[in-house]
Amino acid sequence: AAAGSHGAGRYNFEELTWGNDETHHIAEGYDADILLRWGDPITADAPEFDVMNQTAEAQLKQFGYNNDYVGFTPLNAEGTRGLLCVNHEYTNEEVMFPGLGRQDKAGFEGMTKELIDIEMAAHGGTVVEIAKGADGKWAVVRDGKMNRRITPLNTEMTIDGPAAGHDRMKTNADPSGISVIGTLNNCAGGMTPWGTYLMAEENFHGYFWTDVVDGDGKPDISDQPEAKNMKRYGVPGRWYAWGKFYDRFNIDKEPNEPNRFGWVVEVDPLNPGAKPVKHTALGRFRHEGAETTVSSSGKLVVYMGDDNRFDYQYKYVSSGVVSDDAAANSKLLSDGTLYVARFDEDGSIEWLPLVHGTGPLTAENGFASQADVLIDTRLAADALGATPMDRPEDAQPRGDGTAYIMLTNNSKRTEDQVNAANPRAKSNFGHIIEVKEEGGDHAATRGTWSILVQCGDPELTEVGAQWNPETSANGWFGSPDNCAFDADGRLWVSTDQGSKWGKTGKSDGLYGVETEGDLRGTSKLFFRCPVGGELCGPYFTDNGETLFLAVQHPGTDGTKALKGFERASTFEDPATRWPDFDPKMPPRPSVVVVTKKGGGKIAV
Ligand code: FEO
Ligand code: CA
Ligand code: CA
Ligand code: CA
């Protein structure tokens, strides 16, 4: 294909100009339409959104907050009808609720049980039918029979795999250790080859509370039976006040409840009555995503990052092979081997199995069973000598035995902690690693790795960025987070600069990144967010004609950092009112649907 603004690249579109302002922007020749906003009714009987009179009951039938992962499973052969599966990672109470303002996280004085119930109902996930009309535009089908919300407020889930029913998984409410209410902080995710939806539980630690504090008012967990585990996982984070009203989120009352979060959850979108399943075989950590592929030997392989500074990259390989039997396929997530990555200095990668009884994973070292290895995945990976990474976010496998790993940033890495796979100290802008599994087999336990790009401004020598020189001033980015392949196997990367985005002056956005040939490492800007928003998704339909994007927390992130947006956003005074621009409406996280004007494949 001919190139847009430079060279003979594989991404045929006219590159967008970088910047930031109150709205979103898409490359010329494309539409970027709002499909679903926080509060939009998603069932036939749901009330219309009334921002001044929110209730948990209404929110349970409306689109949730802070859309992150987006997946799609078609309901017809043409792919013009299907189920959109969307994660709702977290909530920003100061822009959701009128008159609340910023909360002091030590006390959350303004947070009533009523507001907390709304927050809980705004977390989790949404499964909603959408259809493409004769005008080529996608719209929600409100009376879709599979439409449902999944929340930490009231969705019962089953725990399966080696840790199910273990004593450390039992609570007062669930003496069996196999049943849990809800899922938390669902960040990225994945769709399985059999059409189920995987929700990754990321920053679950933030939802747990304690009243036991030290002299500085910081949580004191020294008397906790799970102290070692809690310390390694950052429990309790006290980011939310749920534990003040719900015993299960208070570790003083339920020390095992945190062990029931930090897993990968499987949802069958076609069976609204089916309980979601937490698959403990895939390990417990701050799961960023769970992207699947089928290996050359037919096994299911899931790539998963643990998004924390100095934490690890994992993958899971099923024991059995993927078949046409959906019920049998779901068992593939219950029986298999979890591996953690060691990136060696010579460019080889070794996948180390987290299997009880092998190497240091024995009772003498505190791992009495496979359940212990999985509940304490991070401690087990520490013992195996995995490579501490610069915050592994999304990782995307491609069918040819290649995978791309987004390392978003790590400002805490010191010069003496630098290694070949994490080559910069104080890395504010992150990098992308390409893994090639041995023999092109995703189930292989070794392979090679290389750095695709080192992110940041290539004009600033001190940043140490490495891009293909064809990358323009618009095309470079910082802090890669989510990624996806389109129908033609091209890589797309979205960014999350967090509160640091003022350092680049660029809004978060979506970029096409060349992975092959002379242009390898060239990046091109396709879409950018409104100010203070982060870009999640992205997800391409199989025909490559529709791209779903999730704009998360518009108007909030880092809005103090940039001239013209010096204030912290609140409900009454947000940095933007995207996408409604209604003076009575706060900014709303929304899913955007991208199509080519006149139809056809995107960027071809
Ligand atoms: Fe929820 Fe790691 O981003
Ligand atoms: Ca993410
Ligand atoms: Ca992805
Ligand atoms: Ca993020």
Side-chain angles (χ1 to χ4, degrees):
S5 58
H6 56 72
R10 293 180 75 207
Y11 299 81
N12 188 26
F13 62 87
E14 198 64 45
E15 186 171 45
L16 195 60
T17 306
W18 73 274
N20 71 83
D21 56 38
E22 295 196 1
T23 194
H24 67 277
H25 297 267
I26 183 81
E28 212 175 301
Y30 292 85
D31 288 317
D33 302 318
I34 308 299
L35 178 64
L36 271 161
R37 301 162 298 184
W38 167 50
D40 281 349
I42 62 126
T43 62
D45 63 344
E48 291 301 319
F49 186 52
D50 180 352
V51 74
M52 300 305 287
N53 295 288
Q54 299 177 47
T55 65
E57 196 189 4
Q59 178 66 79
L60 287 169
K61 295 174 178 177
Q62 296 165 338
F63 195 59
Y65 207 76
N66 273 347
N67 31 225
D68 197 306
Y69 178 75
V70 182
F72 178 79
T73 189
L75 290 172
N76 63 6
E78 304 78 44
T80 52
R81 265 182 65 226
L83 296 175
L84 199 70
C85 303
V86 183
N87 281 353
H88 301 293
E89 188 184 24
Y90 68 104
T91 49
N92 296 82
E93 67 263 353
E94 72 283 1
V95 279
M96 284 175 78
F97 300 126
L100 184 70
R102 273 190 184 267
Q103 291 294 290
D104 176 353
K105 304 262 169 185
F108 292 95
E109 295 308 326
M111 290 304 290
T112 60
K113 179 163 184 296
E114 194 184 356
L115 294 183
I116 283 167
D117 284 354
I118 297 167
E119 272 193 330
M120 291 172 81
H123 275 70
T126 292
V127 175
V128 63
E129 187 175 330
I130 58 171
K132 197 175 183 178
D135 59 354
K137 298 289 184 189
W138 289 89
V140 168
V141 181
R142 266 180 73 172
D143 57 359
K145 287 182 178 52
M146 277 77 93
N147 296 0
R148 67 161 154 162
R149 289 292 322 286
I150 294 147
T151 78
L153 184 64
N154 68 357
T155 308
E156 220 175 287
M157 313 201 162
T158 303
I159 300 169
D160 96 342
H166 190 275
D167 281 347
R168 297 175 66 194
M169 300 293 275
K170 294 174 182 171
T171 64
N172 286 308
D174 173 31
S176 68
I178 56 165
S179 176
V180 58
I181 300 171
T183 179
L184 287 176
N185 207 264
N186 307 92
C187 192
M191 299 300 290
T192 65
W194 55 94
T196 58
Y197 155 39
L198 300 180
M199 307 170 75
E201 297 187 321
E202 195 189 26
N203 296 306
F204 65 94
H205 63 294
Y207 296 81
F208 290 93
W209 189 263
T210 180
D211 290 309
V212 182
V213 292
D214 63 18
D216 299 327
K218 299 245 166 64
D220 179 359
I221 55 168
S222 51
D223 288 335
Q224 280 283 342
E226 291 279 345
K228 189 177 179 191
N229 157 19
M230 285 178 177
K231 182 162 190 278
R232 184 65 178 84
Y233 284 84
V235 173
R238 301 211 307 178
W239 295 358
Y240 291 89
W242 301 5
K244 293 170 81 174
F245 299 95
Y246 287 91
D247 285 355
R248 62 197 176 99
F249 292 113
N250 184 340
I251 59 165
D252 310 340
K253 295 172 179 160
E254 290 289 0
N256 283 347
E257 189 72 19
N259 291 344
R260 294 141 62 83
F261 292 87
W263 304 103
V264 169
V265 182
E266 185 185 21
V267 175
D268 184 351
L270 292 170
N271 287 300
K275 280 187 197 175
V277 180
K278 293 201 181 187
H279 288 292
T280 64
L282 279 65
R284 175 173 168 266
F285 44 92
R286 292 185 201 164
H287 278 280
E288 166 69 27
E291 294 282 9
T292 66
T293 187
V294 180
S295 76
S296 49
S297 50
K299 294 185 174 189
L300 179 76
V301 181
V302 191
Y303 284 81
M304 303 174 288
D306 182 353
D307 181 7
N308 189 42
R309 295 186 190 101
F310 304 107
D311 259 293
Y312 308 126
Q313 178 63 40
Y314 296 85
K315 79 173 176 185
Y316 171 86
V317 181
S318 66
S319 300
V321 297
V322 179
S323 69
D324 295 331
D325 177 350
N329 285 336
S330 275
K331 300 225 165 51
L332 298 174
L333 293 165
S334 309
D335 181 11
T337 305
L338 180 66
Y339 297 90
V340 65
R342 196 187 68 216
F343 294 84
D344 290 329
E345 296 296 292
D346 64 355
S348 60
I349 181 172
E350 196 82 40
W351 292 99
L352 313 166
L354 286 102
V355 176
H356 177 252
T358 63
L361 306 181
T362 59
E364 301 83 80
N365 293 319
F367 305 100
S369 64
Q370 185 63 14
D372 282 341
V373 168
L374 294 168
I375 293 168
D376 292 325
T377 299
R378 281 183 168 181
L379 295 168
D382 293 343
L384 289 173
T387 304
M389 308 297 288
D390 287 345
R391 293 187 51 201
E393 295 257 25
D394 200 6
Q396 199 78 30
R398 192 171 55 198
D400 60 357
T402 308
Y404 293 88
I405 298 171
M406 307 298 116
L407 287 316
T408 195
N409 53 55
N410 182 354
S411 55
K412 298 267 164 73
R413 189 178 291 275
T414 57
E415 291 291 351
D416 61 341
Q417 291 170 319
V418 160
N419 56 46
N422 300 275
R424 286 184 289 182
K426 290 200 185 73
S427 176
N428 284 320
F429 303 103
H431 57 292
I432 299 175
I433 286 183
E434 178 189 76
V435 171
K436 297 227 175 258
E437 304 284 17
E438 195 165 80
D441 178 6
H442 278 289
T445 56
R446 49 178 300 116
T448 58
W449 65 268
S450 61
I451 291 181
L452 177 64
V453 291
Q454 285 181 195
C455 307
D457 187 344
E459 297 291 316
L460 304 174
T461 348
E462 66 274 21
V463 168
Q466 287 181 13
W467 298 97
N468 187 303
E470 288 295 316
T471 302
S472 77
N474 300 311
W476 66 264
F477 57 81
S479 300
D481 185 344
N482 296 40
C483 57
F485 288 108
D486 63 20
D488 295 312
R490 297 175 301 180
L491 180 66
W492 296 80
V493 174
S494 69
T495 64
D496 171 13
Q497 301 166 101
S499 57
K500 304 260 174 56
W501 71 273
K503 284 190 180 174
T504 66
K506 294 184 166 190
S507 279
D508 280 321
L510 182 73
Y511 300 81
V513 184
E514 303 277 0
T515 56
E516 320 295 325
D518 291 346
L519 286 172
R520 178 181 153 90
T522 307
S523 170
K524 255 178 98 172
L525 176 60
F526 186 59
F527 175 91
R528 63 179 163 90
C529 281
V531 62
E534 154 187 357
L535 191 60
C536 306
Y539 193 93
F540 285 88
T541 54
D542 289 343
N543 62 12
E545 295 182 5
T546 299
L547 161 64
F548 298 106
L549 299 172
V551 173
Q552 206 184 45
H553 58 71
T556 69
D557 242 357
T559 46
K560 280 193 280 192
L562 199 75
K563 203 162 178 271
F565 296 103
E566 284 100 346
R567 62 202 188 272
S569 279
T570 58
F571 183 96
E572 287 75 20
D573 186 23
T576 176
R577 292 187 187 275
W578 186 88
D580 304 285
F581 297 105
D582 173 345
K584 297 196 191 73
M585 191 67 86
R588 292 204 271 176
S590 303
V591 170
V592 173
V593 57
V594 176
T595 49
K596 198 181 211 168
K597 286 187 196 294
K601 267 182 157 180
I602 289 167
V604 169

